[in-house]
Amino acid sequence: MSVIDKLKSLHSAEEFFEVLQVEYHPEVLQVLRLHILRRMGQYLVSAEFDGMSEEEIYTAAQTMLSQAYEDFIKSNPMAERVFKVLKEHDPNRPPAPSAKPAFVQLTSLKTGS
């Protein structure tokens, strides 16, 4: 089984760290698991593995997971904004040109009796 196929078969953040032999603190991973794996996924998608040996791919994946972990040790999820919902709620980001402010007509609201 190739390294990439093995990674695709994993089900938990802990499995990624164990398979790639990257040290982690369980209390950190408990809180940041989705952010770390999402960032690693971003790194993997941007990588070019063509022509690399399985050993080189393993080392690259190991480095990417380690870097993703470090990204969130040195920073935080709000600063890194790896998920769309966090990107959309960036106070420093200008609103999209087609974005309309939410509007609810008062007549559409029903009052309880």
Side-chain angles (χ1 to χ4, degrees):
M1 178 181 278
S2 74
V3 173
I4 298 299
D5 288 337
K6 178 67 176 173
L7 293 178
K8 287 179 182 178
S9 74
L10 302 179
H11 298 286
S12 72
E14 289 82 0
E15 288 178 329
F16 279 87
F17 281 85
E18 290 166 13
V19 166
L20 294 173
Q21 300 177 350
V22 175
E23 291 185 28
Y24 67 95
H25 297 290
E27 62 276 5
V28 171
L29 195 57
Q30 186 67 28
V31 175
L32 299 170
R33 69 180 58 244
L34 296 176
H35 300 278
I36 293 167
L37 291 180
R38 175 69 174 209
R39 176 58 56 84
M40 182 193 180
Q42 291 171 337
Y43 290 152
L44 285 170
V45 167
S46 67
E48 184 58 54
F49 294 121
D50 290 341
M52 292 177 75
S53 70
E54 286 298 309
E55 185 177 320
E56 291 170 324
I57 293 171
Y58 177 87
T59 301
Q62 187 179 49
T63 300
M64 290 174 194
L65 179 58
S66 184
Q67 183 59 54
Y69 183 79
E70 287 299 315
D71 289 349
F72 290 95
I73 295 295
K74 294 176 183 173
S75 187
N76 63 66
M78 289 303 289
E80 296 297 322
R81 298 184 189 278
V82 294
F83 291 104
K84 181 179 178 185
V85 68
L86 295 177
K87 289 177 185 174
E88 289 175 350
H89 288 72
D90 183 352
N92 299 319
R93 180 179 164 217
S98 64
K100 295 180 182 177
F103 179 76
V104 177
Q105 292 183 351
L106 290 177
T107 56
S108 71
L109 300 176
K110 294 183 180 182
T111 57
S113 306

